[in-house]
Amino acid sequence: MAEPRWLDDREMRAWNGFLAASALVNRRLDQQLKDDAGLSHPQYEILVRLAAAPGRELRMTELANGLINSKSGLTYQVTQMEKAGLVRRRSCPSDVRGVFAVLTDAGSAKLEEAAPGHVATVREILVDVLTPGQLDALADGLGEVGRRLRGEGA
Amino acid sequence: MAEPRWLDDREMRAWNGFLAASALVNRRLDQQLKDDAGLSHPQYEILVRLAAAPGRELRMTELANGLINSKSGLTYQVTQMEKAGLVRRRSCPSDVRGVFAVLTDAGSAKLEEAAPGHVATVREILVDVLTPGQLDALADGLGEVGRRLRGEGA
DNA sequence: GGTCGGCGGTTCGAATTTGAACAACTCCCT
DNA sequence: AGGGAGTTGTTCAAATTCGAACCGCCGACC
């Protein structure tokens, strides 16, 4: 692989823009959530997923696959959140190994408390900055990117 | 802030797509660089910036502002890279406080070694997945997002 | 000239992340 | 039944991250 096709100008701008926005948006989001509700971004994501799940509970593996982080990272976060009373662990009846993470009422309340500020921030830093066309391009293009990265492992 | 404007379907797809792609792309990139060249993504970024800088050196602050991470994070990474011989510190003649990070020949060689594989991965997971129109939308839209997040502090 | 505010980098401690190793268990196949 | 491969979630050590506190120094202002 001596000389690959380097990125041309358009590709470079897109790549750099993506990289920078990715880092900056994530940092800002973390900051806002922590200040506003005392949640880390991963924790917020967990709350959202659980709230949307049937029975407000999900298997650990499903949560981990959702996106978040590695399995061990999830174990850590759920432990933290359990200490804070936001979730509860429940072992799976049909599979002794399995563990459900269950959203508690306190967790649900915390989410409702944090959501408005979070959404406002998301609008402010990203959604309201983009044109409808750009939103569609993000959804389609990055959706496909995500799908591929999920699909094939390595 | 009782009821903000929630995200509609289009906005939600764009936001989720961005979030997922952001996490997945970064993870994949880190992995590839580490396996391929023994570099972390932050370290690669530092090499790139230094290589592009006049005299192949930059002030610590300029590097930190570039994007990467917090000031302390940069100190850490530069220390690691100095141990590995990829960069060198040089104190600024006109300002005793100032420190330049200078790219060494070994650092330059390491970058040339890592770049082809990196670019290939960037193409594979993102650039070649998108249409030209989507590339422009990323560049324009996310470019503006980044600019705003840099411009105004909080 | 003296001094006060701010900048540039590092150091510190705490929190978080990751991959690898591990233990327990399910499922399938013979 | 019995064995083996693949899953599930946790534990572990190591690496990395961040923000806050800190030190020394530049520069402007009185």
Short mmCIF file of all heavy atoms in Angstrom, two decimals, chain B residues 59-61 63-64 69-79 82 88-91 96-101, chain C residues 8-12, chain D residues 18-24:
data_model
loop_
_atom_site.label_atom_id
_atom_site.label_comp_id
_atom_site.label_asym_id
_atom_site.label_seq_id
_atom_site.Cartn_x
_atom_site.Cartn_y
_atom_site.Cartn_z
N ARG B 59 3.47 25.71 19.37
CA ARG B 59 3.35 25.93 20.79
C ARG B 59 2.34 24.96 21.39
O ARG B 59 1.36 24.60 20.73
CB ARG B 59 2.87 27.37 21.05
CG ARG B 59 3.91 28.40 20.75
CD ARG B 59 5.00 28.38 21.79
NE ARG B 59 4.54 28.97 23.02
CZ ARG B 59 4.62 30.26 23.33
NH1 ARG B 59 5.20 31.09 22.50
NH2 ARG B 59 4.15 30.72 24.46
N MET B 60 2.53 24.59 22.61
CA MET B 60 1.59 23.67 23.27
C MET B 60 0.16 24.19 23.17
O MET B 60 -0.76 23.44 22.85
CB MET B 60 1.99 23.50 24.74
CG MET B 60 3.31 22.82 24.94
SD MET B 60 3.34 21.14 24.32
CE MET B 60 2.75 20.24 25.75
N THR B 61 -0.01 25.45 23.46
CA THR B 61 -1.35 26.02 23.44
C THR B 61 -2.00 25.91 22.06
O THR B 61 -3.19 25.60 21.95
CB THR B 61 -1.29 27.49 23.87
OG1 THR B 61 -0.80 27.56 25.20
CG2 THR B 61 -2.67 28.11 23.80
N LEU B 63 -1.43 23.70 19.82
CA LEU B 63 -1.80 22.30 19.63
C LEU B 63 -3.10 21.98 20.38
O LEU B 63 -4.00 21.36 19.84
CB LEU B 63 -0.70 21.39 20.16
CG LEU B 63 0.32 20.89 19.15
CD1 LEU B 63 1.37 20.04 19.83
CD2 LEU B 63 -0.37 20.11 18.05
N ALA B 64 -3.18 22.44 21.59
CA ALA B 64 -4.37 22.15 22.39
C ALA B 64 -5.61 22.79 21.76
O ALA B 64 -6.65 22.16 21.66
CB ALA B 64 -4.19 22.66 23.82
N ASN B 69 -7.54 17.73 22.93
CA ASN B 69 -8.13 17.53 24.24
C ASN B 69 -7.79 18.71 25.13
O ASN B 69 -7.34 19.74 24.67
CB ASN B 69 -7.62 16.23 24.84
CG ASN B 69 -6.18 15.97 24.43
OD1 ASN B 69 -5.48 16.89 24.00
ND2 ASN B 69 -5.74 14.77 24.56
N SER B 70 -7.97 18.54 26.40
CA SER B 70 -7.68 19.61 27.34
C SER B 70 -6.16 19.83 27.41
O SER B 70 -5.39 19.02 26.93
CB SER B 70 -8.20 19.24 28.72
OG SER B 70 -7.64 18.03 29.14
N LYS B 71 -5.79 20.93 28.04
CA LYS B 71 -4.36 21.23 28.16
C LYS B 71 -3.62 20.11 28.86
O LYS B 71 -2.54 19.69 28.42
CB LYS B 71 -4.19 22.54 28.96
CG LYS B 71 -4.30 23.79 28.14
CD LYS B 71 -3.95 25.01 28.97
CE LYS B 71 -4.75 25.10 30.27
NZ LYS B 71 -4.38 26.24 31.12
N SER B 72 -4.19 19.63 29.94
CA SER B 72 -3.49 18.58 30.69
C SER B 72 -3.39 17.30 29.86
O SER B 72 -2.38 16.60 29.92
CB SER B 72 -4.18 18.33 32.01
OG SER B 72 -5.57 18.21 31.84
N GLY B 73 -4.42 17.04 29.09
CA GLY B 73 -4.38 15.87 28.23
C GLY B 73 -3.25 15.97 27.23
O GLY B 73 -2.56 15.00 26.93
N LEU B 74 -3.07 17.16 26.71
CA LEU B 74 -2.00 17.37 25.74
C LEU B 74 -0.64 17.16 26.39
O LEU B 74 0.22 16.49 25.83
CB LEU B 74 -2.08 18.77 25.16
CG LEU B 74 -0.98 19.06 24.14
CD1 LEU B 74 -1.12 18.17 22.93
CD2 LEU B 74 -0.98 20.52 23.74
N THR B 75 -0.46 17.74 27.56
CA THR B 75 0.80 17.53 28.28
C THR B 75 1.11 16.05 28.40
O THR B 75 2.23 15.60 28.15
CB THR B 75 0.71 18.15 29.69
OG1 THR B 75 0.59 19.56 29.56
CG2 THR B 75 1.96 17.83 30.49
N TYR B 76 0.09 15.30 28.76
CA TYR B 76 0.28 13.86 28.91
C TYR B 76 0.72 13.22 27.60
O TYR B 76 1.72 12.49 27.54
CB TYR B 76 -1.00 13.22 29.42
CG TYR B 76 -0.96 11.73 29.47
CD1 TYR B 76 -0.31 11.07 30.49
CD2 TYR B 76 -1.55 10.97 28.46
CE1 TYR B 76 -0.25 9.69 30.53
CE2 TYR B 76 -1.51 9.60 28.50
CZ TYR B 76 -0.86 8.96 29.54
OH TYR B 76 -0.80 7.59 29.56
N GLN B 77 0.00 13.49 26.54
CA GLN B 77 0.30 12.85 25.26
C GLN B 77 1.68 13.23 24.76
O GLN B 77 2.43 12.39 24.27
CB GLN B 77 -0.74 13.22 24.21
CG GLN B 77 -2.05 12.49 24.31
CD GLN B 77 -1.92 10.99 24.24
OE1 GLN B 77 -0.85 10.42 24.39
NE2 GLN B 77 -3.03 10.31 24.06
N VAL B 78 2.02 14.50 24.88
CA VAL B 78 3.33 14.93 24.40
C VAL B 78 4.43 14.25 25.21
O VAL B 78 5.46 13.85 24.66
CB VAL B 78 3.46 16.46 24.47
CG1 VAL B 78 4.89 16.90 24.25
CG2 VAL B 78 2.55 17.10 23.43
N THR B 79 4.19 14.08 26.47
CA THR B 79 5.17 13.38 27.30
C THR B 79 5.36 11.94 26.81
O THR B 79 6.49 11.46 26.67
CB THR B 79 4.73 13.36 28.78
OG1 THR B 79 4.57 14.71 29.22
CG2 THR B 79 5.75 12.67 29.64
N GLU B 82 7.21 11.98 23.60
CA GLU B 82 8.61 12.33 23.78
C GLU B 82 9.39 11.09 24.22
O GLU B 82 10.49 10.84 23.74
CB GLU B 82 8.72 13.45 24.83
CG GLU B 82 10.03 14.21 24.73
CD GLU B 82 10.00 15.46 25.60
OE1 GLU B 82 9.20 15.53 26.55
OE2 GLU B 82 10.81 16.37 25.32
N ARG B 88 9.89 16.35 20.40
CA ARG B 88 10.89 16.85 21.31
C ARG B 88 10.34 18.17 21.83
O ARG B 88 9.61 18.87 21.12
CB ARG B 88 12.18 17.10 20.53
CG ARG B 88 13.41 17.39 21.34
CD ARG B 88 14.65 17.25 20.43
NE ARG B 88 14.47 17.99 19.17
CZ ARG B 88 14.62 19.31 19.04
NH1 ARG B 88 14.92 20.05 20.09
NH2 ARG B 88 14.47 19.90 17.86
N ARG B 89 10.66 18.50 23.06
CA ARG B 89 10.24 19.81 23.58
C ARG B 89 11.38 20.80 23.43
O ARG B 89 12.54 20.45 23.61
CB ARG B 89 9.87 19.68 25.05
CG ARG B 89 8.44 19.23 25.31
CD ARG B 89 8.16 19.20 26.79
NE ARG B 89 7.53 17.96 27.20
CZ ARG B 89 6.28 17.86 27.61
NH1 ARG B 89 5.51 18.92 27.66
NH2 ARG B 89 5.77 16.70 27.95
N ARG B 90 11.01 22.03 23.12
CA ARG B 90 12.01 23.07 22.98
C ARG B 90 11.42 24.31 23.62
O ARG B 90 10.30 24.71 23.29
CB ARG B 90 12.29 23.33 21.50
CG ARG B 90 13.36 24.36 21.24
CD ARG B 90 13.72 24.38 19.77
NE ARG B 90 12.75 25.16 18.99
CZ ARG B 90 12.75 26.48 18.92
NH1 ARG B 90 13.63 27.17 19.59
NH2 ARG B 90 11.86 27.11 18.17
N SER B 91 12.13 24.90 24.51
CA SER B 91 11.55 26.08 25.17
C SER B 91 11.68 27.29 24.27
O SER B 91 12.64 27.43 23.50
CB SER B 91 12.22 26.32 26.53
OG SER B 91 13.60 26.51 26.34
N VAL B 96 9.99 32.60 28.30
CA VAL B 96 10.50 31.47 29.07
C VAL B 96 9.39 30.46 29.38
O VAL B 96 9.64 29.27 29.51
CB VAL B 96 11.12 31.97 30.39
CG1 VAL B 96 11.73 30.81 31.16
CG2 VAL B 96 12.18 33.02 30.10
N ARG B 97 8.16 30.94 29.52
CA ARG B 97 7.07 30.03 29.86
C ARG B 97 6.74 29.10 28.71
O ARG B 97 6.33 27.96 28.89
CB ARG B 97 5.80 30.83 30.19
CG ARG B 97 5.92 31.72 31.37
CD ARG B 97 4.74 32.65 31.39
NE ARG B 97 4.64 33.43 30.15
CZ ARG B 97 3.63 34.20 29.85
NH1 ARG B 97 2.61 34.30 30.68
NH2 ARG B 97 3.61 34.89 28.72
N GLY B 98 6.90 29.63 27.49
CA GLY B 98 6.44 28.91 26.31
C GLY B 98 7.21 27.63 26.04
O GLY B 98 8.40 27.53 26.32
N VAL B 99 6.52 26.66 25.45
CA VAL B 99 7.16 25.41 25.07
C VAL B 99 6.71 25.05 23.66
O VAL B 99 5.51 25.08 23.35
CB VAL B 99 6.77 24.27 26.03
CG1 VAL B 99 7.32 22.94 25.55
CG2 VAL B 99 7.25 24.58 27.43
N PHE B 100 7.69 24.74 22.81
CA PHE B 100 7.37 24.23 21.49
C PHE B 100 7.41 22.71 21.52
O PHE B 100 8.28 22.14 22.17
CB PHE B 100 8.40 24.71 20.46
CG PHE B 100 8.19 26.12 20.00
CD1 PHE B 100 9.01 27.14 20.48
CD2 PHE B 100 7.19 26.42 19.09
CE1 PHE B 100 8.83 28.45 20.05
CE2 PHE B 100 7.01 27.72 18.66
CZ PHE B 100 7.83 28.74 19.13
N ALA B 101 6.50 22.10 20.81
CA ALA B 101 6.62 20.68 20.52
C ALA B 101 7.18 20.58 19.11
O ALA B 101 6.64 21.17 18.18
CB ALA B 101 5.27 19.99 20.61
P DG C 8 -1.19 32.13 26.63
OP1 DG C 8 -0.56 32.43 25.32
OP2 DG C 8 -2.48 31.42 26.73
"O5'" DG C 8 -0.13 31.35 27.53
"C5'" DG C 8 1.25 31.63 27.39
"C4'" DG C 8 2.05 30.43 27.83
"O4'" DG C 8 1.90 30.28 29.26
"C3'" DG C 8 1.56 29.11 27.21
"O3'" DG C 8 2.69 28.30 26.92
"C2'" DG C 8 0.70 28.51 28.31
"C1'" DG C 8 1.35 29.03 29.58
N9 DG C 8 0.43 29.25 30.68
C8 DG C 8 -0.88 29.64 30.62
N7 DG C 8 -1.44 29.76 31.80
C5 DG C 8 -0.43 29.45 32.70
C6 DG C 8 -0.43 29.42 34.11
O6 DG C 8 -1.36 29.68 34.87
N1 DG C 8 0.81 29.04 34.62
C2 DG C 8 1.92 28.75 33.87
N2 DG C 8 3.02 28.41 34.52
N3 DG C 8 1.94 28.77 32.53
C4 DG C 8 0.74 29.14 32.02
P DG C 9 2.48 26.98 26.07
OP1 DG C 9 3.41 26.99 24.97
OP2 DG C 9 1.04 26.79 25.84
"O5'" DG C 9 2.96 25.85 27.09
"C5'" DG C 9 2.90 26.15 28.41
"C4'" DG C 9 3.58 25.18 29.34
"O4'" DG C 9 3.06 25.55 30.62
"C3'" DG C 9 3.25 23.70 29.14
"O3'" DG C 9 4.39 22.90 29.50
"C2'" DG C 9 2.06 23.49 30.06
"C1'" DG C 9 2.23 24.53 31.15
N9 DG C 9 0.98 25.14 31.60
C8 DG C 9 -0.10 25.52 30.86
N7 DG C 9 -1.09 25.99 31.57
C5 DG C 9 -0.63 25.93 32.87
C6 DG C 9 -1.25 26.30 34.09
O6 DG C 9 -2.38 26.77 34.26
N1 DG C 9 -0.42 26.07 35.17
C2 DG C 9 0.83 25.55 35.09
N2 DG C 9 1.48 25.41 36.23
N3 DG C 9 1.44 25.20 33.97
C4 DG C 9 0.64 25.41 32.90
P DT C 10 4.30 21.34 29.49
OP1 DT C 10 5.65 20.84 29.15
OP2 DT C 10 3.11 20.88 28.76
"O5'" DT C 10 4.09 21.06 31.05
"C5'" DT C 10 4.99 21.69 31.97
"C4'" DT C 10 4.58 21.39 33.39
"O4'" DT C 10 3.34 22.05 33.70
"C3'" DT C 10 4.36 19.90 33.69
"O3'" DT C 10 5.13 19.58 34.85
"C2'" DT C 10 2.87 19.80 33.94
"C1'" DT C 10 2.53 21.19 34.45
N1 DT C 10 1.14 21.65 34.25
C2 DT C 10 0.40 22.05 35.33
O2 DT C 10 0.82 22.04 36.47
N3 DT C 10 -0.87 22.49 35.02
C4 DT C 10 -1.45 22.56 33.77
O4 DT C 10 -2.60 22.98 33.62
C5 DT C 10 -0.62 22.11 32.69
C7 DT C 10 -1.15 22.14 31.29
C6 DT C 10 0.61 21.69 32.97
P DT C 11 5.26 18.06 35.29
OP1 DT C 11 6.64 17.85 35.74
OP2 DT C 11 4.65 17.18 34.27
"O5'" DT C 11 4.32 18.03 36.58
"C5'" DT C 11 4.40 19.10 37.53
"C4'" DT C 11 3.33 18.93 38.60
"O4'" DT C 11 2.07 19.45 38.14
"C3'" DT C 11 3.08 17.48 39.02
"O3'" DT C 11 3.00 17.43 40.44
"C2'" DT C 11 1.72 17.16 38.39
"C1'" DT C 11 1.04 18.51 38.39
N1 DT C 11 0.01 18.73 37.34
C2 DT C 11 -1.18 19.30 37.70
O2 DT C 11 -1.46 19.62 38.84
N3 DT C 11 -2.06 19.49 36.65
C4 DT C 11 -1.87 19.18 35.34
O4 DT C 11 -2.73 19.41 34.50
C5 DT C 11 -0.60 18.58 35.03
C7 DT C 11 -0.29 18.18 33.63
C6 DT C 11 0.27 18.38 36.03
P DC C 12 3.07 16.07 41.22
OP1 DC C 12 3.92 16.32 42.40
OP2 DC C 12 3.37 14.94 40.30
"O5'" DC C 12 1.56 15.90 41.71
"C5'" DC C 12 0.95 16.94 42.48
"C4'" DC C 12 -0.55 16.71 42.55
"O4'" DC C 12 -1.15 17.11 41.30
"C3'" DC C 12 -0.95 15.24 42.74
"O3'" DC C 12 -1.38 15.05 44.08
"C2'" DC C 12 -2.11 15.02 41.76
"C1'" DC C 12 -2.32 16.35 41.08
N1 DC C 12 -2.53 16.26 39.62
C2 DC C 12 -3.72 16.74 39.06
O2 DC C 12 -4.57 17.22 39.81
N3 DC C 12 -3.90 16.66 37.73
C4 DC C 12 -2.95 16.13 36.94
N4 DC C 12 -3.16 16.08 35.64
C5 DC C 12 -1.73 15.63 37.50
C6 DC C 12 -1.56 15.70 38.82
P DC D 18 -9.89 15.20 27.59
OP1 DC D 18 -10.84 15.65 26.56
OP2 DC D 18 -8.46 15.52 27.50
"O5'" DC D 18 -10.41 15.73 29.01
"C5'" DC D 18 -11.72 15.37 29.42
"C4'" DC D 18 -11.91 15.81 30.85
"O4'" DC D 18 -11.00 15.07 31.68
"C3'" DC D 18 -11.60 17.28 31.07
"O3'" DC D 18 -12.81 17.99 31.26
"C2'" DC D 18 -10.72 17.32 32.32
"C1'" DC D 18 -10.55 15.88 32.73
N1 DC D 18 -9.13 15.47 33.00
C2 DC D 18 -8.75 15.10 34.29
O2 DC D 18 -9.58 15.14 35.19
N3 DC D 18 -7.47 14.71 34.50
C4 DC D 18 -6.60 14.67 33.49
N4 DC D 18 -5.35 14.27 33.74
C5 DC D 18 -6.99 15.05 32.16
C6 DC D 18 -8.24 15.44 31.96
P DG D 19 -12.74 19.57 31.31
OP1 DG D 19 -14.07 20.04 30.87
OP2 DG D 19 -11.52 20.04 30.61
"O5'" DG D 19 -12.59 19.93 32.86
"C5'" DG D 19 -13.42 19.25 33.80
"C4'" DG D 19 -13.02 19.64 35.20
"O4'" DG D 19 -11.77 19.00 35.55
"C3'" DG D 19 -12.78 21.13 35.42
"O3'" DG D 19 -13.25 21.45 36.71
"C2'" DG D 19 -11.29 21.29 35.27
"C1'" DG D 19 -10.78 19.97 35.85
N9 DG D 19 -9.52 19.49 35.29
C8 DG D 19 -9.12 19.56 33.98
N7 DG D 19 -7.95 19.02 33.77
C5 DG D 19 -7.55 18.58 35.02
C6 DG D 19 -6.36 17.93 35.42
O6 DG D 19 -5.40 17.58 34.73
N1 DG D 19 -6.34 17.66 36.79
C2 DG D 19 -7.36 17.98 37.67
N2 DG D 19 -7.17 17.65 38.93
N3 DG D 19 -8.48 18.61 37.30
C4 DG D 19 -8.50 18.87 35.97
P DA D 20 -13.18 22.95 37.20
OP1 DA D 20 -14.51 23.20 37.80
OP2 DA D 20 -12.66 23.83 36.13
"O5'" DA D 20 -12.10 22.89 38.37
"C5'" DA D 20 -12.14 21.80 39.30
"C4'" DA D 20 -11.01 21.94 40.29
"O4'" DA D 20 -9.80 21.41 39.70
"C3'" DA D 20 -10.70 23.39 40.66
"O3'" DA D 20 -10.35 23.46 42.03
"C2'" DA D 20 -9.55 23.75 39.73
"C1'" DA D 20 -8.81 22.42 39.61
N9 DA D 20 -8.12 22.23 38.33
C8 DA D 20 -8.55 22.61 37.09
N7 DA D 20 -7.72 22.30 36.12
C5 DA D 20 -6.67 21.66 36.77
C6 DA D 20 -5.48 21.08 36.31
N6 DA D 20 -5.12 21.05 35.03
N1 DA D 20 -4.65 20.53 37.22
C2 DA D 20 -5.02 20.55 38.52
N3 DA D 20 -6.12 21.07 39.07
C4 DA D 20 -6.91 21.61 38.14
P DA D 21 -9.89 24.87 42.65
OP1 DA D 21 -10.61 24.98 43.93
OP2 DA D 21 -9.99 25.95 41.63
"O5'" DA D 21 -8.35 24.61 42.96
"C5'" DA D 21 -7.96 23.36 43.51
"C4'" DA D 21 -6.45 23.28 43.52
"O4'" DA D 21 -5.99 23.02 42.16
"C3'" DA D 21 -5.76 24.57 43.96
"O3'" DA D 21 -4.69 24.26 44.84
"C2'" DA D 21 -5.28 25.19 42.65
"C1'" DA D 21 -4.98 23.95 41.81
N9 DA D 21 -5.04 24.16 40.36
C8 DA D 21 -6.03 24.79 39.65
N7 DA D 21 -5.82 24.81 38.35
C5 DA D 21 -4.61 24.15 38.20
C6 DA D 21 -3.83 23.85 37.07
N6 DA D 21 -4.18 24.17 35.83
N1 DA D 21 -2.67 23.19 37.26
C2 DA D 21 -2.32 22.87 38.52
N3 DA D 21 -2.97 23.09 39.66
C4 DA D 21 -4.12 23.75 39.43
P DC D 22 -3.84 25.42 45.52
OP1 DC D 22 -3.40 24.92 46.84
OP2 DC D 22 -4.60 26.67 45.40
"O5'" DC D 22 -2.56 25.51 44.60
"C5'" DC D 22 -1.83 24.33 44.29
"C4'" DC D 22 -0.76 24.63 43.28
"O4'" DC D 22 -1.36 24.75 41.98
"C3'" DC D 22 -0.01 25.94 43.52
"O3'" DC D 22 1.33 25.64 43.88
"C2'" DC D 22 -0.07 26.68 42.18
"C1'" DC D 22 -0.53 25.60 41.21
N1 DC D 22 -1.33 26.11 40.06
C2 DC D 22 -0.83 25.95 38.77
O2 DC D 22 0.27 25.42 38.61
N3 DC D 22 -1.56 26.40 37.72
C4 DC D 22 -2.74 26.98 37.93
N4 DC D 22 -3.42 27.39 36.87
C5 DC D 22 -3.27 27.15 39.24
C6 DC D 22 -2.54 26.70 40.27
P DC D 23 2.23 26.84 44.50
OP1 DC D 23 2.98 26.25 45.61
OP2 DC D 23 1.42 28.07 44.69
"O5'" DC D 23 3.24 27.10 43.30
"C5'" DC D 23 3.92 26.00 42.68
"C4'" DC D 23 4.72 26.53 41.52
"O4'" DC D 23 3.84 26.75 40.40
"C3'" DC D 23 5.40 27.86 41.81
"O3'" DC D 23 6.75 27.80 41.40
"C2'" DC D 23 4.61 28.88 41.01
"C1'" DC D 23 4.06 28.03 39.86
N1 DC D 23 2.77 28.51 39.29
C2 DC D 23 2.56 28.46 37.91
O2 DC D 23 3.46 28.02 37.19
N3 DC D 23 1.39 28.90 37.39
C4 DC D 23 0.44 29.37 38.21
N4 DC D 23 -0.72 29.78 37.66
C5 DC D 23 0.62 29.43 39.62
C6 DC D 23 1.79 29.00 40.11
P DG D 24 7.77 28.98 41.78
OP1 DG D 24 8.99 28.33 42.31
OP2 DG D 24 7.05 30.01 42.55
"O5'" DG D 24 8.11 29.58 40.35
"C5'" DG D 24 8.35 28.69 39.26
"C4'" DG D 24 8.21 29.46 37.96
"O4'" DG D 24 6.81 29.73 37.69
"C3'" DG D 24 8.91 30.82 37.97
"O3'" DG D 24 9.68 30.93 36.79
"C2'" DG D 24 7.78 31.83 38.04
"C1'" DG D 24 6.66 31.09 37.34
N9 DG D 24 5.30 31.48 37.73
C8 DG D 24 4.83 31.70 39.00
N7 DG D 24 3.56 32.05 39.02
C5 DG D 24 3.19 32.06 37.68
C6 DG D 24 1.94 32.37 37.08
O6 DG D 24 0.89 32.68 37.62
N1 DG D 24 2.01 32.26 35.70
C2 DG D 24 3.11 31.90 34.98
N2 DG D 24 2.98 31.85 33.66
N3 DG D 24 4.29 31.61 35.52
C4 DG D 24 4.25 31.72 36.87
#
